[in-house]
Every structure is written in structure tokens, then in C-alpha cells.
Amino acid sequence: MLKNEEIDQLTGLPNLYSFRKNAQKLMDDRTKTEREFAIIYFDVQNFKSYNSRYGFEAGDRFLQNMAKHIEKIFPELMVARFSDDHFVALSYFNSLESRIDDLRRRVVNYNPDAGVELHAGIYELEPDDTDISVACDRARIACNSIKTKYDNAFRYYDKELGNQLDLAHYIIHHINEAVLNGYLRVYYQPVVRVITGRVCGFEALARWDDPVHGFLMPGVFIPLLEDAHLIYKLDAFVIKQVCEDIREYMDQGYQPQPVSINLSRTDFHQKDMYRLVNDAVHTNKIPKNLIHIEVTESALDDNQDVLKGTIDKFRRGGYQVWMDDFGSGYSSLNLLKDYEFDVLKFDMKFLQNFGSNPKEMAIWENVINMAEEIGIQTLAEGVETMEAWDFLKRVGCEKAQGYFFGRPMNKSECMDYLDEFKEEIRPSRSVLLEEEAALDRNKTIVELKDEEPEEEEMDRIGTIEDERFMAESPVYLTLAARGFVSLLEYNSYSQFQKHSFFIVANLTQDSLQRVYLSGKRKLLDKAYRRLESYQQMIDDIVENTVIQEEKRNVSDFFSKDRLILAYHSGITFDEIEFHRIVDIKMAPRWTHTIYQVMEDHGDIIAYFLSFDIDEFKRSKDLVRQMAERDALTGLYNRHTAVPLIRNRLYRHQSGKSAMIMIDVDNFKDINDKYGSFAGDEVLRRISARLDDTFGRDGIVCHIDQDEFLVFLENILVTNTEDRITELCDNVFGVRYHDDKITFTVSAGYVIHPEQGRGYHDLYRKADMALCMAKNAGKGTAIKYSEK
């Protein structure tokens, strides 16, 4: 007879204490029989949901019913309820699998609509097993290993699981040793801007290079440390190491990139993570904007008051907070409502069929559009192909990471990676400003890259001696300079020298050391000589040769005090582009200046090279205009206009806007009757009229064939409606050879924000309104209506 303290009060089965005591005795006596013993550990999946849906009383009845079935199917030795929905049986080995299947069917059929499942872990007792508790743990481990595998009802404990158990035990008991002895290392994976492909940050990833078990991946040790509530030791190490690495990088004169750090949900309950991060940042004297905090969506299900308070503290303290694994849970949209995030990060695994499933593209296009509207950036991880990158460009995702852009790298590899990136011809400050502005408008900037095989690139890399020879060789420097001059569209190297300035200044002494100004040391009829004041010369140049709008910026750039401060901050070179007045009778010309600062015998010396790039800028502007404009009509093309419109909608603060779809009526008939050249002439003429009507205060775009898109900001609705109506009331005439072609246009429009918010929503509604206008008759304008 069992005592009361040995009985589970709900089911009447033996409890954990009773099972361990009596099963231990049965195991000790098993040598008296030749029959094999097995421990079976049962776990009911989704039992918490069952309780939530049907109530605790129904849940108790479920467990009582399950207990009766276990006793009936495994009657020979002993069964027990360990806790909650966990049961254990000590049984003979005969027909074991069929009996587990029988029990599973009975459990599931008790309430088929409940969605519960039964999993079992089996441990076959070995002759040398002496501890029943260890045997039960092994059965439990086998059961837990198939928790997420609904097609497997049971699993045996085997050598693989045994190795996993040994490894788990090793990891938990050696985390301190791994931190102290340098077995843990931080790897960095690049994050790039989708539009340009340029690196804009890194994600810090932990790796464990163990002397016993070799290289351990985070998917192995992170879940174990989380379950053991030891993950804070790993995350504290990563935070400290990342801040130290950034400091080291800055001390070597490099421009650092932001790094995002993953924090576990258990961190927030065990440690003051804000203080931990902030102390590391202040100790290493790095800017807060270089550290971003990543929190997984699943972590937000835990104690929300604690987590929300810490997230808000991070953001108030000047740190960005990112939501990792967005879309992997069931409450993503609620979390966006309740929390403030700077970036949403989603995995490309959710977009496996983006090339063939239009629904996926529509879903993510709208998710990204929604994020933009509420002021959150988007980042896709796991990008591994060019197709995936192209997809992200199409849907407007802002950032990306994955093996396509770069694998995770240790600190040394990462510094080499950035060093190579740094040594490329760097874009000027004004170009970077242009590109940032373009990114703010979601404009596309495409960089053409060398497509030669990687092996051939490697063959071209020489030794350190080769590089030193190249750096010191006057022939190499001359050829490089001539090639550079050719790219800038100078006719000859001598012409480049004629239009360039070279200045060497001792900033510490505020004196000029060398001055080369277009072949004679004069600038606007004023001569400058050695040992004169550098700052005075700069003040004269800015005052007399720089256009008014750029004087302050240029003056700050050349300022002696700023250059010295920048040098002590680790910035040894920079560049700027500005408009310089060459002749008061001529238009100002673009000038590019680059400088290098170094120390010589305790003094800070600056070397400046300025040269004329006006022809290069004009050529570049022409190319940009050709890329942005439709060749036939001269209006914006779709690829340029859509990002511009999306950006203006995103930055919309007040007032009303309108999106208008316009279509040439019976355009196909015009092409058929008069020919395609006549049709082109019609499109050119109506484009000019649309640009004249709307171009001064909006964006006018030629979408395709005879369709046009217009976006107007800060409108008076009645005035805009009158302009659209007047346009559609006209009958336009175009003379083409001996023919006079007459036609009308129809329009559909929608008002923002009262009738829609995002670009796709407004476009869809304007298109619907245009369809209604076409159906109502030619030369008609209709405003979108829900009716």
C-alpha cells in the first residue's frame, strides 16, 4: 500500500517520489529476470492551450482519463504522474511501440478538436544502469527532442542524444572558463543598404571555439545557456568585446560602423541590461549611436512591464532598439502598437517563394510600406542570392544581411574587409550627401562591380613589398594620376595641373609650407608665400571664391581648429565638393578638395589637393537625368517617381495631397489609324501639357504607354478638382504631317490622407477611379469613392 504522500491526488497514480523509490527497487532486482525494462516518459503537447480553451476542470478530467488509459495499457510494472501533463511508465519491452501508438490514439480521440498531441521518450535500461533518476532524465530528453516534430510520436534515447546531453552538461559548466580563456569570440556579419549595396553596419554574433569540442555554433550553446539562465554571461561578454573592438578600430584611424547586439529575454529579468551596455560604452568612450540592441519577437511575450521599461530606457538613452525575427510569432502587429522600435528585422526564410508567389510580394510590400508609415526601418536577413536582393529592391526594403553580402567574420577578417572597402576610391562628401538624400527618397543608386572570377582577383593581389614598391614608384604614381585625370574628363595631365591647387600647411604653427596655385602663387590676383598664415589664406579664399550659400560649410571644412580636433579624434583625411568662382564673368565651377593630415616632429601637417571637376559633374548630371527621365516624354519614369512619392507620403506632416491617374482615351485606335510615330507625338504633346499643368507643384510620371501618374502635395481640394476637370474637359489636337489627331483624356484621383495613406493603397484607389471614369464616358474625371 502506498502512503498518502506518495499518491498524486488528482489521478490516484504514484507521484514522482513514489516512482523513484519503488522503480529503483524494481531496477535493482531486474537481474532476477531476463526480461528487458524500459522507461517511457509521456508529455502532452498543447495542454496549456487546452486549459485556456476549456477551463481547468476540463483539463483535470483530461488528465484523469489519460491516467486510466496509461494504467490499462502499461499494467505490468509501474506508472506515475510526475507533474502537470507529464507521466512516466516502467514497462517491459514487448510490443512497446504499438502500445504507445494505442495510448496516443486514445488521448487524441478524447477531444479531437482540442489539437493536443502525445509524445513519448523511451530509454532502454542497460545492464550497468544503477540510478533510476538518470534513466528518467534520459527518457525525458528523448521526449523533448521531438517536441516540435508532430509526425514523430516517440523517440528512443540513443548515442546521439547521449552526446547532446554530455555536450549540454559541458557547456553549462564551462561558460565561465570559455569567457576567461578566450574560447568565446565575437564575429561580425555585414549589414548593407539594399539600394547601394554599401556596408552600413554589422551584427555581432557569438562563436565558441572550444579546445575539447571544437567550433560550436550559437544554435548549440545559446538555447542551453538560456534554459540554464546563464545567457547573461555570454551577452555581457559580447557587449564588452564589441565596445572594445569599436574603440580599437577608431584608435587606428578608421571610421566605425554601428554594431547590433542580440539580447536574450532572460537577460532583462536577471541583470540591468541598460546599465551593462551603458557602462561598456562609456568605459570605451564610443558614441551611443554605434550600438544597436536587438530583441527577438518571442522575448516580448514575457513580463512585458519589465521589458517595455528597459526598451524605453534604451531609446531614451540614445540607443536604437530593433525587433528581431519579426513575423515569426502570432502577435507582431500588437507588439508594434505597444512598443517603440527603430528597425524591423525579418528572415528571408519567410519569403522562400517570392519569385513565384505574388501573394508573398504583396504581403511584404505592404508590411514594408506600413513600417515606413509609422517611422520604422526594415532589414531582411538570410539574403543569399541576387534574386533575393533584387526582390528586396522592388519591395522597398532598406537594409539587408546574409552570405550574399558577407559571411560572419572574426575581428581580424572584419578589419581587413573594411580596410579593402576603405582603400577603394572613396566618394566625395557631396556625393555621399547626394546618395543619403537619394536614399531618403528611396531613389535607386546602382554601383557597377567587376564580374571577374574571384580566383583572378586573388591572382592580382601582390605581396607587401609589391604594394610598397607601387606606393613609392614615381612611374606608378604618374600612371595612376593620368588615369584619374582621364576619368575626370580632362584632355591631358597638363590641363589637370593647370586647374589644380596643392597646398601644404603646418596647422600647429598656422603657416604655409608649400603653395601651388595653377602654376603661379596667385589667387584672384593675390600672392601667397611660405610662412604666411594658413588660416588667413583660407579666409581669403572662402570670402572671395566660394558662392554665398556654401561659404559656411567650406569655411568649417578648412578651419585649422577643426582639422586639428578631427586629427586628435582619429580622422586623418576627408574631402569636400563646392562651387568656386573662377571668373566673376563666368558661372561658378565645381571643385573637389581632398586632404591628408599627419604628424611631423610634433607638428600637425595638412596636405590639400583641389581640382576642377565641373565637366565631370555636368556629365554625371546628364547621365543621372537620363536614368531618371522617360526617354520619350522627358517626364520622370516609374522607377524614379514611385520612390519619390513614397518618401513624400512617409514624411507627410500636415495638409492634403492628391494622387491622379490619367489615361489617353482610345490611344490604341490612334496608333492603329495613324501609326506608332503619331502615337509617340501624341504622348509627347500631352506630357508637355501635364508638366505645364502639374509639374510646378508636383511629380508627373509617365508610367507606361498612354498612362500617367501625378502626385500633388499641400493642395486645396477644390482648386485641384477644378484643374483636373478642366484638363478632362478639353479636346486636344495634334497635327502630324497632313493629319490632325484629336483626343481626350480621362482621370481618376484620390485624396490623401482622408481616402488612403500608403502609396499602394492610393495607387489602387486612383486606378479604380480611373476605371470608373473610363466606364462613365471619355473625357471624364472621377474622384475615388467607396460606393
Side-chain angles (χ1 to χ4, degrees):
M1 291 289 294
L2 295 176
K3 300 176 182 178
N4 284 336
E5 61 268 22
E6 296 180 357
I7 297 176
D8 175 62
Q9 298 302 311
L10 177 65
T11 63
L13 295 178
N15 58 22
L16 172 64
Y17 168 76
S18 174
F19 183 87
R20 285 182 174 172
K21 183 180 73 171
N22 293 289
Q24 182 69 53
K25 187 175 184 304
L26 289 170
M27 189 175 76
D28 293 340
D29 295 340
R30 75 187 188 281
T31 54
K32 299 176 182 178
T33 177
E34 295 179 355
R35 304 189 72 179
E36 295 175 319
F37 282 9
I39 297 284
I40 309 102
Y41 186 96
F42 297 101
D43 180 21
V44 179
Q45 301 296 304
N46 299 325
F47 184 68
K48 287 183 180 179
S49 299
Y50 189 97
N51 271 336
S52 300
R53 183 176 180 182
Y54 298 104
F56 288 103
E57 290 186 5
D60 288 346
R61 290 193 297 271
F62 178 94
L63 294 176
Q64 290 166 345
N65 179 72
M66 181 174 172
K68 291 177 182 178
H69 288 308
I70 292 177
E71 275 192 305
K72 183 176 181 180
I73 296 172
F74 298 93
E76 59 266 40
L77 292 174
M78 188 175 187
V79 296
R81 181 188 180 213
F82 270 24
S83 64
D84 300 326
D85 54 320
H86 306 303
F87 295 81
V88 176
L90 177 63
S91 170
Y92 293 129
F93 212 78
N94 59 296
S95 304
L96 192 59
E97 295 180 6
S98 61
R99 287 193 286 168
I100 292 174
D101 284 336
D102 184 21
L103 177 62
R104 176 182 170 276
R105 280 193 298 271
R106 298 186 187 207
V107 169
V108 172
N109 290 335
Y110 177 78
N111 187 342
D113 297 328
V116 297
E117 264 293 348
L118 181 68
H119 284 163
I122 307 167
Y123 176 67
E124 183 179 357
L125 292 175
E126 300 290 342
D128 56 349
D129 284 332
T130 58
D131 190 336
I132 194 66
S133 296
V134 172
C136 290
D137 284 343
R138 290 174 176 173
R140 177 180 57 81
I141 290 169
C143 182
N144 290 342
S145 70
I146 57 172
K147 262 191 173 183
T148 59
K149 299 177 181 178
Y150 289 94
D151 54 341
N152 294 341
F154 57 83
R155 178 174 177 176
Y156 289 90
Y157 181 88
D158 52 23
K159 185 177 180 180
E160 179 185 350
L161 284 175
N163 292 337
Q164 292 177 13
L165 180 62
D166 292 340
L167 180 60
H169 185 272
Y170 179 89
I171 287 171
I172 290 170
H173 290 86
H174 288 77
I175 178 64
N176 291 336
E177 181 184 343
V179 172
L180 293 174
N181 294 339
Y183 304 154
L184 284 173
R185 296 172 187 171
V186 176
Y187 276 53
Y188 298 91
Q189 185 171 33
V191 175
V192 306
R193 285 192 179 273
V194 169
I195 292 178
T196 65
R198 285 198 175 129
V199 176
C200 61
F202 290 87
E203 180 183 6
L205 303 167
R207 298 291 187 264
W208 188 328
D209 193 0
D210 191 79
V212 177
H213 293 279
F215 199 80
L216 302 175
M217 296 299 289
V220 174
F221 59 84
I222 287 179
L224 294 171
L225 294 175
E226 283 185 323
D227 291 343
H229 298 283
L230 296 173
I231 192 68
Y232 71 89
K233 295 185 177 183
L234 172 67
D235 291 343
F237 162 77
V238 172
I239 292 165
K240 178 175 177 292
Q241 189 63 55
V242 166
C243 292
E244 290 177 355
D245 288 350
I246 292 176
R247 181 69 263 167
E248 178 183 349
Y249 195 69
M250 293 173 66
D251 289 343
Q252 294 184 18
Y254 293 89
Q255 187 71 30
Q257 296 284 359
V259 178
S260 63
I261 300 173
N262 293 277
L263 297 185
S264 168
R265 55 179 158 188
T266 62
D267 288 339
F268 295 91
H269 304 292
Q270 293 180 273
K271 296 289 179 180
D272 184 347
M273 296 311 296
Y274 177 81
R275 181 175 180 180
L276 197 66
V277 172
N278 217 39
D279 286 350
V281 167
H282 283 294
T283 299
N284 291 279
K285 298 179 181 179
I286 64 174
K288 292 181 177 179
N289 62 1
L290 294 180
I291 299 295
H292 303 330
I293 305 301
E294 290 194 32
V295 183
T296 60
E297 181 182 328
S298 59
L300 304 173
D301 294 335
D302 288 352
N303 193 327
Q304 293 198 6
D305 292 337
V306 173
L307 194 57
K308 191 174 189 302
T310 308
I311 288 176
D312 291 343
K313 195 172 182 180
F314 269 117
R315 298 190 82 249
R316 289 196 304 270
Y319 299 94
Q320 284 194 17
V321 180
W322 299 6
M323 184 201 282
D324 195 10
D325 294 335
F326 175 75
S328 61
Y330 300 102
S331 54
S332 301
L333 298 180
N334 282 330
L335 295 174
L336 294 182
K337 175 173 62 72
D338 298 334
Y339 291 85
E340 292 288 338
F341 295 102
D342 298 283
V343 175
L344 296 184
K345 193 172 182 181
F346 57 89
D347 199 312
M348 285 296 291
K349 290 178 182 177
F350 295 108
L351 302 172
Q352 291 178 345
N353 300 314
F354 61 84
S356 58
N357 188 344
K359 289 184 179 179
E360 286 195 0
M361 183 169 181
I363 290 170
W364 285 105
E365 206 167 14
N366 281 279
V367 167
I368 290 167
N369 192 51
M370 173 201 66
E372 287 182 353
E373 289 207 10
I374 60 178
I376 302 178
Q377 293 184 321
T378 48
L379 189 158
E381 59 181 338
V383 180
E384 298 181 354
T385 64
M386 175 67 78
E387 290 75 19
W389 186 19
D390 290 339
F391 170 81
L392 295 175
K393 289 178 182 177
R394 291 198 303 273
V395 298
C397 186
E398 295 169 77
K399 298 179 181 180
Q401 72 180 89
Y403 275 74
F404 182 76
F405 303 108
R407 59 177 176 80
M409 298 169 278
N410 60 36
K411 181 176 70 174
S412 176
E413 293 172 327
C414 185
M415 294 183 77
D416 289 342
Y417 176 87
L418 285 176
D419 205 27
E420 292 175 10
F421 182 74
K422 172 185 172 184
E423 288 175 359
E424 296 175 357
I425 296 177
R426 299 177 63 228
S428 66
R429 173 178 290 189
S430 65
V431 170
L432 289 175
L433 290 175
E434 288 175 8
E435 292 189 356
E436 288 300 320
L439 293 173
D440 288 339
R441 302 194 304 269
N442 280 341
K443 287 176 65 175
T444 301
I445 304 167
V446 180
E447 292 186 338
L448 299 180
K449 299 184 179 180
D450 193 352
E451 297 182 354
E452 291 183 8
E454 185 176 349
E455 292 78 13
E456 294 183 15
E457 284 293 322
M458 294 299 294
D459 290 342
R460 291 166 53 190
I461 298 176
T463 64
I464 295 176
E465 289 75 15
D466 294 332
E467 294 179 4
R468 186 179 295 116
F469 170 77
M470 290 166 64
E472 296 174 353
S473 168
V475 176
Y476 171 79
L477 295 177
T478 300
L479 291 174
R482 292 183 184 278
F484 177 62
V485 165
S486 176
L487 288 174
L488 291 177
E489 302 189 9
Y490 282 93
N491 293 329
S492 65
Y493 186 63
S494 59
Q495 186 190 30
F496 171 78
Q497 289 181 306
K498 181 180 178 181
H499 291 88
S500 64
F501 310 142
F502 183 62
I503 301 169
V504 183
N506 186 320
L507 300 180
T508 305
Q509 304 296 331
D510 186 25
S511 64
L512 297 171
Q513 291 190 339
R514 294 184 68 89
V515 183
Y516 174 85
L517 301 176
S518 299
K520 52 185 178 180
R521 294 175 185 178
K522 286 189 176 183
L523 192 65
L524 292 181
D525 297 326
K526 182 170 183 177
Y528 296 94
R529 297 179 177 83
R530 291 186 60 190
L531 304 182
E532 290 187 4
S533 169
Y534 159 79
Q535 189 61 58
Q536 183 60 53
M537 184 192 74
I538 291 301
D539 292 343
D540 290 345
I541 290 175
V542 172
E543 179 64 29
N544 296 309
T545 70
V546 179
I547 65 173
Q548 187 64 38
E549 295 84 353
E550 297 176 353
K551 285 184 185 294
R552 182 174 180 179
N553 188 36
V554 176
S555 178
D556 288 344
F557 178 83
F558 284 99
S559 166
K560 171 176 66 69
D561 294 335
R562 187 201 72 83
L563 291 168
I564 293 173
L565 180 62
Y567 175 77
H568 289 305
S569 300
I571 301 173
T572 59
F573 66 91
D574 203 350
E575 49 198 332
I576 189 174
E577 290 179 0
F578 58 94
H579 288 88
R580 183 173 63 88
I581 301 172
V582 178
D583 189 321
I584 57 175
K585 298 178 182 179
M586 299 169 56
R589 295 180 67 84
W590 277 103
T591 298
H592 184 107
T593 297
I594 185 169
Y595 74 77
Q596 174 80 43
V597 177
M598 56 186 65
E599 198 165 343
D600 184 15
H601 297 92
D603 287 350
I604 300 175
I605 310 298
Y607 298 80
F608 299 89
L609 176 63
S610 294
F611 45 91
D612 189 293
I613 58 168
D614 201 67
E615 294 301 324
F616 173 74
K617 294 289 285 188
R618 292 176 188 274
S619 176
K620 185 176 178 182
D621 290 342
L622 178 60
V623 172
R624 181 183 291 113
Q625 183 177 359
M626 291 173 63
E628 292 178 351
R629 298 284 176 169
D630 174 60
L632 175 64
T633 65
L635 300 176
Y636 280 122
N637 59 37
R638 183 174 191 146
H639 297 294
T640 302
V642 172
L644 284 173
I645 296 171
R646 289 177 63 188
N647 183 67
R648 294 194 184 185
L649 288 169
Y650 170 60
R651 297 182 180 278
H652 177 81
Q653 297 294 328
S654 59
K656 296 184 178 182
S657 306
M659 183 175 287
I660 312 163
M661 290 282 291
I662 300 169
D663 178 273
V664 177
D665 296 325
N666 300 320
F667 183 70
K668 184 178 181 300
D669 295 340
I670 294 174
N671 266 340
D672 292 343
K673 183 175 181 180
Y674 300 102
S676 60
F677 290 111
D680 289 348
E681 187 63 23
V682 167
L683 294 178
R684 278 192 286 267
R685 297 289 183 89
I686 193 61
S687 296
R689 181 60 178 266
L690 293 176
D691 192 41
D692 183 60
T693 305
F694 301 112
R696 289 189 298 273
D697 52 355
I699 297 170
V700 184
C701 163
H702 180 207
I703 297 179
D704 186 29
Q705 296 189 13
D706 62 329
E707 290 188 345
F708 298 85
L709 179 67
V710 177
F711 180 76
L712 305 176
E713 283 187 291
N714 301 317
I715 64 168
L716 295 174
V717 175
T718 54
N719 175 265
T720 300
E721 290 179 336
D722 289 344
R723 292 163 68 188
I724 298 171
T725 301
E726 180 182 354
L727 176 74
C728 294
D729 284 345
N730 284 325
V731 176
F732 299 98
V734 173
R735 288 203 171 274
Y736 184 74
H737 298 314
D738 296 330
D739 297 313
K740 183 176 181 181
I741 306 170
T742 58
F743 63 93
T744 58
V745 298
S746 297
Y749 61 98
V750 60
I751 304 300
H752 170 270
E754 63 190 44
Q755 291 185 302
R757 300 196 65 85
Y759 168 80
H760 298 286
D761 185 36
L762 293 172
Y763 184 92
R764 178 179 60 85
K765 290 176 178 177
D767 191 44
M768 291 173 63
L770 175 61
C771 289
M772 289 188 284
K774 302 284 279 187
N775 293 332
K778 311 303 180 184
T780 305
I782 289 184
K783 179 180 178 181
Y784 173 79
S785 173
E786 296 285 353
K787 297 179 180 179

